[in-house]
Amino acid sequence: MLRILWRSSEWRGYAAEIEHVALMRERAGREASPSAAVIDSQSVKAPQAGTRGYDAGKKIVGRKRHIAVDTDGRLLMVNLTPADISDSAGAQAILDGIRQRWPWVKHLFADGAYDRLKLMDKAAYLNFVVEIIRRSDDQKGFEVLPRCWVVERTFGWMTRWRRLVRDYEQRIDVSHAMILVAMGANLIRRNAHP
């Protein structure tokens, strides 16, 4: 089936991405298709961007990267928006993309920013179970949240590529392609040196 998709120019990138993630998961001794994902977002400065916004929480003018990763940190979906788009609004496009490209994913993990009624309704409509991971009320300082650290590690892998520390691209599609190149190289490196 992947070979048929590979011939279509529209599906070429999707098929390659699915094949790489499936191969990596099988080599790690897991099922080829993920059944759970972790979603989060990252605001980055974008000085040259044609469309950008202001993230008041982080005081950044730029773009926001909404991503979904499997439970090992492999990139499943990415959605780029201006930084003024909320996490839950950006995640709605992620939910649509996951349902189309990764129909086996049933469980999603997210932090407290995603606990919004509209997002939860859409997740229930698309047959997802969303588990919100919250910080404890008596927590002081930094503490690693279970499950959510996986997506933070993926952001760390992304920013190891100097070009992704900031968003230097004017167009969103070029920025999206740079993220896929970086994460594809990460998959190849992990495949070559398990």
Side-chain angles (χ1 to χ4, degrees):
M1 179 175 162
L2 288 177
R3 295 197 190 284
I4 295 168
L5 292 174
W6 184 259
R7 291 184 187 128
S8 165
S9 63
E10 180 180 329
W11 286 94
R12 188 176 309 150
Y14 296 144
E17 184 179 338
I18 290 170
E19 199 168 26
H20 288 293
V21 172
L23 176 69
M24 287 296 298
R25 289 183 60 84
E26 286 175 348
R27 287 200 176 184
R30 304 187 69 154
E31 284 289 322
S33 58
S35 61
V38 186
I39 56 175
D40 202 0
S41 68
Q42 175 189 47
S43 295
V44 291
K45 295 178 181 176
Q48 306 294 326
T51 57
R52 59 185 180 173
Y54 179 69
D55 184 356
K58 297 185 180 157
K59 297 182 175 70
I60 290 178
V61 176
R63 288 189 180 134
K64 194 174 275 192
R65 298 171 180 157
H66 305 272
I67 68 169
V69 298
D70 71 354
T71 54
D72 287 334
R74 294 176 195 91
L75 186 68
L76 300 178
M77 282 297 299
V78 61
N79 178 27
L80 298 172
T81 61
D84 56 354
I85 302 297
S86 70
D87 290 351
S88 61
Q92 290 183 27
I94 291 283
L95 293 180
D96 289 332
I98 289 175
R99 184 50 66 218
Q100 289 176 0
R101 198 178 311 171
W102 302 97
W104 312 279
V105 173
K106 300 290 183 207
H107 202 96
L108 297 174
F109 298 98
D111 59 16
Y114 294 92
D115 192 12
R116 301 292 182 263
L117 184 62
K118 198 171 185 180
L119 178 65
M120 292 299 181
D121 288 344
K122 183 166 190 168
Y125 176 74
L126 292 173
N127 204 18
F128 286 115
V129 175
V130 180
E131 184 176 335
I132 303 296
I133 310 293
R134 298 191 186 281
R135 294 171 38 133
S136 63
D137 293 335
D138 56 348
Q139 176 183 342
K140 292 184 181 180
F142 175 76
E143 186 176 316
V144 176
L145 294 176
R147 297 285 185 184
C148 290
W149 66 270
V150 174
V151 73
E152 300 298 338
R153 181 181 64 181
T154 303
F155 283 131
W157 288 337
M158 264 190 219
T159 56
R160 286 181 69 185
W161 284 65
R162 278 193 230 170
R163 191 151 179 178
L164 296 179
V165 172
R166 291 183 181 202
D167 196 339
Y168 293 106
E169 311 302 332
Q170 288 184 344
R171 294 177 17 201
I172 285 183
D173 60 337
V174 176
S175 181
H176 184 269
M178 291 307 301
I179 291 171
L180 293 180
V181 166
M183 296 312 293
N186 184 35
L187 280 177
I188 290 170
R189 185 172 56 248
R190 289 173 69 183
N191 192 16
H193 306 289

